[in-house]
Amino acid sequence: MIVNTQTLLERFLSSTGVSTDTRKIQAGNLFFALKGPNFNANAMAAEAIEKGAQYAIIDDADYLAGERTLLVEDGLLALQALATAYRQTLTIPIVGLTGSNGKTTTKELIFSVLSQKYHCFATSGNLNNHIGVPLSVLSIKKEHEIAVIEMGANKQGDIKELVDIAQPTHGLITNIGKAHLEGFGGIEGVRKGKGELFDFLQASKGVTFLPQQSGVIQEMFSERGMQNAVYSNEAMPTTLVEAKPMVRYALASGEIIDSHLPGIYNFENIQLAIAVGKFFSLSDEQCNTGISTYIPNNHRSQFIKIGSNQVLMDAYNANPSSMSAAISHFAETEGNPKLVILGDMFELGESSAEEHAALGKLLAGLSFEKVLLVGQHMQHALIHLPSAYYFPDKFGLHTWLQDHPIQDSFLLVKGSRGIQLESVLAFLENSK
């Protein structure tokens, strides 16, 4: 017999949470057996129960094994429906955010700020897709007073699916840039897709936080006839002092606040986080403490000392917008000699060759000691960079670094997640 969402909700409310990975099962969990192109977790239902799961939710009757296996029509849809039903039992504010660049950093900044006053929940890592958002919502506990949910998208319709689950009461879009162009069908597709968050907030009369510097996002807000806006620099006016290498900003009192984030683009993220904090009645001191104590990790805008080298590691993701911003900021930052190690930008579709060539043109106008390019797509940048070092894959780069040790240098390392350029750190560490 197929169980309905209400039954799943009742089981969930008496459980210790949800898991989709038998390696991370905790006693009393609900295990959802999800399927993918190369796996079928229905086959792991019995193992999940043996490891302590209260129930295993499956969508293949061949794996029914007693009353502790619950049959649904589709495991993923059941997980999403459960998250939606659970969300409707929550009464706390939920801040939803998306954007082409900076959404995870902004989410972490907002969490750091709000945590100065509230017991706050935030999306873990980048669990921001059609599986991650339901898992995030289901991780909100009764003791949480406010939540921050990050939402990512590869194509139009993705954000609508996620906001229908998370149902944010407040929201923001960090920026509109050239990310996932292949799935979105160009920059206008990105604008429309990210705007699905604004569509939801308009219909629900939610509150929107607007970045002061983005005319595009303000246009998206205005063209929908939306009303409830909080501008990023109005609640607590701040002035950028410098962003080379780290953002420092001044308060109206003249006090200087130091952050651990590089680049003017992160100043905009900081302003958004402060605007959220002030809206939820945090003091200036609490907001600034939240900003100044946040230290980036997971290879996002992270400064790392490796041997005699200083590395700006930003290898978690890359698209034309974030890549050009990072390179331009790095070029203006003090420190010599400067080298850049750049990997492919993925999911650009028909725009890939053009965007990689444009990146090469940008690099050609800057004075870096060495430019090292990695990946099949990066060959299109070479038309403007005849003296660059080019490697079809990162393993060729590893070999080159072993043969040509880099010492006493300042490096930017950036590329899309799929190329995993953080692997070069081990070879820089040996460059003594």
Side-chain angles (χ1 to χ4, degrees):
M1 178 180 176
I2 292 178
V3 301
N4 59 27
T5 302
Q6 182 58 36
T7 299
L8 289 178
L9 180 61
E10 292 169 0
R11 299 291 189 273
F12 171 73
L13 292 175
S14 63
S15 75
T16 58
V18 166
S19 176
T20 60
D21 188 341
T22 54
R23 297 167 298 181
K24 300 177 182 178
I25 288 285
Q26 296 183 8
N29 277 180
L30 299 187
F31 173 72
F32 275 78
L34 303 183
K35 297 193 294 284
N38 303 310
F39 67 90
N40 181 355
N42 284 285
M44 301 176 182
E47 178 187 346
I49 291 172
E50 289 175 7
K51 289 184 173 180
Q54 187 178 36
Y55 293 97
I57 291 84
I58 61 174
D59 57 12
D60 187 335
D62 289 344
Y63 294 94
L64 281 169
E67 61 182 18
R68 290 175 65 186
T69 49
L70 305 178
L71 183 63
V72 297
E73 289 188 359
D74 183 290
L76 175 59
L77 294 180
L79 175 67
Q80 294 173 334
L82 171 59
T84 304
Y86 177 61
R87 167 64 184 96
Q88 292 168 351
T89 71
L90 301 173
T91 58
I92 63 172
I94 292 185
V95 180
L97 77 155
T98 189
S100 298
N101 307 313
K103 54 185 175 290
T104 299
T105 296
T106 305
K107 177 258 298 182
E108 294 292 340
L109 284 168
I110 293 172
F111 174 72
S112 182
V113 167
L114 292 177
S115 294
Q116 303 304 313
K117 180 173 182 177
Y118 298 105
H119 189 178
C120 183
F121 171 86
T123 299
S124 176
N126 69 328
L127 290 175
N128 62 12
N129 64 5
H130 61 297
I131 298 173
V133 167
L135 291 175
S136 295
V137 170
L138 291 167
S139 297
I140 301 172
K141 307 300 183 187
K142 62 182 180 180
E143 60 265 26
H144 288 124
E145 300 171 292
I146 193 168
V148 187
I149 302 294
E150 177 185 338
M151 293 174 283
N154 297 322
K155 62 185 184 302
Q156 293 181 42
D158 284 355
I159 296 297
K160 183 184 186 308
E161 178 182 30
L162 301 181
V163 294
D164 285 345
I165 295 170
Q167 300 171 30
T169 54
H170 304 71
L172 62 95
I173 299 173
T174 57
N175 50 50
I176 301 296
K178 295 179 178 180
H180 305 293
L181 294 179
E182 183 174 21
F184 278 110
I187 191 68
E188 283 303 314
V190 175
R191 177 171 170 159
K192 183 176 180 180
K194 300 298 184 182
E196 290 163 5
L197 171 57
F198 280 4
D199 294 337
F200 182 89
L201 292 172
Q202 179 195 32
S204 62
K205 295 182 172 58
V207 174
T208 305
F209 301 97
L210 292 175
Q212 201 84 20
Q213 299 86 351
S214 176
V216 172
I217 295 176
Q218 292 181 36
E219 286 175 8
M220 293 168 61
F221 180 86
S222 299
E223 65 194 17
R224 287 169 169 79
M226 300 174 74
Q227 300 294 325
N228 300 329
V230 176
Y231 288 87
S232 61
N233 196 35
E234 289 184 351
M236 189 178 80
T238 55
T239 303
L240 179 66
V241 175
E242 65 174 338
K244 298 182 291 185
M246 302 300 187
V247 172
R248 306 179 76 217
Y249 61 93
L251 310 181
S253 65
E255 181 183 358
I256 303 296
I257 305 298
D258 292 296
S259 81
H260 297 276
L261 288 165
I264 192 169
Y265 47 90
N266 273 316
F267 178 55
E268 298 171 3
N269 299 333
I270 287 168
Q271 287 181 307
L272 279 168
I274 290 173
V276 175
K278 292 298 295 181
F279 180 86
F280 287 106
S281 303
L282 272 73
S283 67
D284 290 4
E285 181 180 2
Q286 287 172 322
C287 290
N288 292 320
T289 298
I291 299 300
S292 63
T293 58
Y294 170 67
I295 299 175
N297 54 24
N298 296 325
H299 306 311
R300 298 178 186 272
S301 300
Q302 183 178 6
F303 275 94
I304 305 174
K305 181 73 172 175
I306 301 290
S308 64
N309 298 307
Q310 184 77 8
V311 181
L312 175 51
M313 175 58 66
D314 198 3
Y316 196 86
N317 219 333
N319 57 58
S321 303
S322 66
M323 188 75 92
S324 61
I327 290 168
S328 298
H329 161 70
F330 185 67
E332 295 174 359
T333 303
E334 292 183 4
N336 280 300
K338 287 184 193 170
L339 293 78
V340 293
I341 301 176
L342 306 175
D344 279 348
M345 301 179 288
F346 292 155
E347 298 184 56
L348 296 180
E350 295 179 355
S351 302
S352 183
E354 177 185 353
E355 293 294 349
H356 283 86
L359 185 66
K361 188 174 182 179
L362 171 65
L363 289 164
L366 301 171
S367 299
F368 294 124
E369 184 79 12
K370 287 186 177 68
V371 175
L372 292 83
L373 304 176
V374 188
Q376 296 295 325
H377 298 289
M378 274 296 175
Q379 64 183 306
H380 298 292
L382 293 174
I383 189 172
H384 299 293
L385 295 167
S387 61
Y389 296 82
Y390 172 70
F391 309 92
D393 57 52
K394 64 181 181 181
F395 304 106
L397 171 63
H398 296 168
T399 300
W400 187 90
L401 289 171
Q402 286 179 313
D403 295 338
H404 303 82
I406 295 175
Q407 299 177 339
D408 302 312
S409 297
F410 190 18
L411 298 93
L412 169 66
V413 180
K414 188 168 178 65
S416 282
R417 181 84 296 267
I419 206 163
Q420 298 180 333
L421 273 186
E422 65 272 15
S423 64
V424 305
L425 290 179
F427 298 90
L428 293 174
E429 191 168 12
N430 293 325
S431 297
K432 297 177 181 178

